[in-house]
Amino acid sequence: MAYRNLPAGVQDLLPRECRMLAVVKERLAKKFDLCGFQQVLSGALEYYDTFSQISNPIAQERMFKLTDSDGKLLVLRPDATLAISRIAATKLQSPRARLCYFADKYDAENGGGISSREIYQAGVECLGEEGALSDAQAIAFAVECVRETGIRGFIVDIGHVGYFKGLLEECGLSEEEAERVRRCINAKDGWNAERALRKAGAGEKTVNAVLALPALFGGAEVLDKAQSLTENACARQAVAHLKRVNDILVRMGYEKEISYDLGTVKRLSYYSGVVFSGLVKELGAPVFSGGRYDRLADDFGKHIPAVGFAIGLKRVLIALERQGSLPEEPLLDGVIFCEEGAEEIGYSAFMQMTGEGKRVRFCSEYGAQAQEGCAARYLATKKGLKKL
């Protein structure tokens, strides 16, 4: 029956999965705290206009919408970073802050599989920070956070939206046309990208440079190749910035974890500089993604440069499972059974053990199922507690 099922793109988490998720969250929360990040949580319900009437709007078909009691249109949180930008611009006294969060975001378009419609994320936002060092620190911290979850063998793909913007600067493309070309490049659809560029009157060198984007991936040597393809100042500045970021990351010891991909171009109106994604071969999709978004807070009344990233926690669990690295299910320290009339003794022992920080189950019935996953078993009798 339909009422027993869930909508496409959402799923229940059973006890073992919840326990694994709690372990991963605990590891990340400790990492965030040790590195000076302060936790915030935005409201799960926001006004529709907050995300639709801004210069970086969320497409209306991506938002879950509902009506408030006063008739105003609400949405379930469609983007955590925009919500943090709103908080930073309207409620924080200082424009400089390092914030972290654990929150769901909701994407009405995702239809299932690894692309969930309910996306549980851990994220960090470095607000009020600019420059190559800030970008390199964000990438390095993303690497350390993923390591903390237990995932191994991942790579961080790094790009810069300024390179693509620079290539298109002299073409006279409208925002809509530039976005169409961007989607073609991301889809490796060179034919339609070339068609759009030539229709806009792009020169031969620009067309060749844009069509070369999907092949611009690999080590730091890609940056020299990218620079040789254009004389555009914006594009060359983007490459120069990536070279500075690369130099810092290499000196910090992350050379083996990073690669460059100028052919994966994220939303041009949203991102303003460096972009990056963490890829795990067992997953086939990014386990984290982020970048620089200096203009997101502008719509909420303040200009606050920022860089950050979000980790998909359910994707982390999938990657850990496929790598055979899921955290082990910890045994209960004990389970206490009671004889009739000994409930007070059994419950007193239960309260004492849990007060000491032990994980204990208090059971009404003595059975094999109640004994599963425990290190010790106790029986409460009228004479006291004895270990079985």
Side-chain angles (χ1 to χ4, degrees):
M1 295 183 182
Y3 62 82
R4 296 182 180 178
N5 300 323
L6 287 172
V10 298
Q11 58 278 322
D12 298 317
L13 294 184
L14 301 183
R16 182 172 181 272
E17 295 167 305
C18 284
R19 182 69 188 173
M20 297 301 99
L21 192 62
V23 170
V24 169
K25 180 181 175 181
E26 183 180 1
R27 291 174 180 176
L28 288 172
K30 183 177 180 181
K31 188 73 174 178
F32 294 166
D33 185 53
L34 289 174
C35 295
F37 286 85
Q38 297 176 299
Q39 191 166 335
V40 293
L41 180 61
S42 68
L45 287 174
E46 299 234 25
Y47 286 113
Y48 173 77
D49 288 351
T50 300
F51 299 96
S52 65
Q53 303 300 314
I54 55 176
S55 57
N56 295 288
I58 303 293
Q60 67 89 16
E61 60 269 16
R62 300 190 73 97
M63 293 189 277
F64 283 99
K65 297 172 282 292
L66 60 157
T67 305
D68 204 352
S69 56
D70 60 2
K72 292 181 179 178
L73 198 58
L74 306 177
V75 294
L76 289 174
R77 183 194 302 112
D79 187 283
T81 298
L82 275 169
I84 300 296
S85 297
R86 174 186 55 76
I87 290 173
T90 60
K91 297 184 177 179
L92 296 186
Q93 292 184 346
S94 172
R96 292 183 65 87
R98 288 197 167 188
L99 304 180
C100 65
Y101 63 88
F102 294 89
D104 280 306
K105 79 167 189 176
Y106 300 89
D107 188 334
E109 276 198 334
N110 287 338
I114 203 163
S115 296
S116 177
R117 300 166 84 184
E118 182 182 23
I119 304 154
Y120 189 44
Q121 295 180 320
V124 302
E125 312 292 350
C126 304
L127 302 165
E129 300 184 17
E130 297 181 88
L133 177 57
S134 176
D135 291 342
Q137 279 186 309
I139 294 167
F141 190 56
V143 171
E144 293 303 325
C145 287
V146 174
R147 283 177 177 169
E148 199 68 30
T149 68
I151 291 176
R152 295 293 179 265
F154 61 92
I155 196 80
V156 185
D157 262 359
I158 307 169
H160 196 298
V161 297
Y163 186 74
F164 183 71
K165 286 181 179 179
L167 294 182
L168 298 185
E169 228 174 39
E170 299 169 3
C171 300
L173 271 68
S174 66
E175 286 189 13
E176 184 180 347
E177 290 170 330
E179 179 63 20
R180 188 179 303 119
V181 174
R182 184 193 72 83
R183 288 197 297 266
C184 290
I185 293 299
N186 275 352
K188 313 301 181 188
D189 183 358
W191 189 85
N192 278 314
E194 181 177 2
R195 184 181 177 188
L197 288 167
R198 294 197 184 281
K199 185 178 179 180
E204 197 67 28
K205 189 167 184 178
T206 298
V207 171
N208 291 337
V210 172
L211 295 182
L213 284 173
L216 289 178
F217 64 91
E221 69 280 355
V222 166
L223 302 179
D224 289 328
K225 183 178 179 182
Q227 201 162 35
S228 70
L229 289 173
T230 180
E231 296 298 323
N232 178 271
C234 177
R236 291 176 72 86
Q237 285 171 8
V239 175
H241 184 82
L242 287 178
K243 287 184 174 182
R244 290 194 293 273
V245 170
N246 180 72
D247 289 343
I248 296 169
L249 288 170
V250 169
R251 290 198 297 272
M252 292 168 71
Y254 294 99
E255 184 175 10
K256 292 182 179 179
E257 285 82 17
I258 59 175
S259 67
Y260 293 88
D261 186 354
L262 296 173
T264 300
V265 187
K266 297 188 179 183
R267 279 176 56 198
L268 301 179
S269 62
Y270 192 101
Y271 292 95
S272 60
V274 163
V275 291
F276 52 90
S277 299
L279 306 176
V280 184
K281 65 179 180 180
E282 291 87 356
L283 198 60
V287 72
F288 70 82
S289 64
R292 176 159 291 282
Y293 12 78
D294 288 345
R295 297 184 298 271
L296 291 193
D298 292 8
D299 285 308
F300 305 109
K302 284 184 184 177
H303 177 70
I304 305 176
V307 62
F309 61 88
I311 302 171
L313 295 179
K314 292 177 184 177
R315 289 187 178 184
V316 166
L317 292 186
I318 295 170
L320 288 173
E321 182 177 30
R322 291 177 180 177
Q323 290 185 350
S325 301
L326 276 174
E328 290 186 8
E329 181 79 24
L331 293 175
L332 287 171
D333 293 302
V335 58
I336 298 173
F337 306 98
C338 287
E339 287 183 350
E340 187 176 349
E343 293 84 1
E344 182 180 352
I345 293 173
Y347 190 70
S348 177
F350 167 72
M351 292 299 292
Q352 180 180 341
M353 290 182 184
T354 55
E356 294 169 353
K358 295 179 180 178
R359 298 175 61 244
V360 181
R361 181 184 296 144
F362 183 58
C363 294
S364 59
E365 295 183 11
Y366 186 87
Q369 187 174 1
Q371 301 178 58
E372 292 177 357
C374 65
R377 291 171 291 279
Y378 302 89
L379 179 63
T381 69
K382 292 179 181 180
K383 295 181 179 180
L385 189 73
K386 65 178 182 180
K387 189 173 183 179
L388 299 176

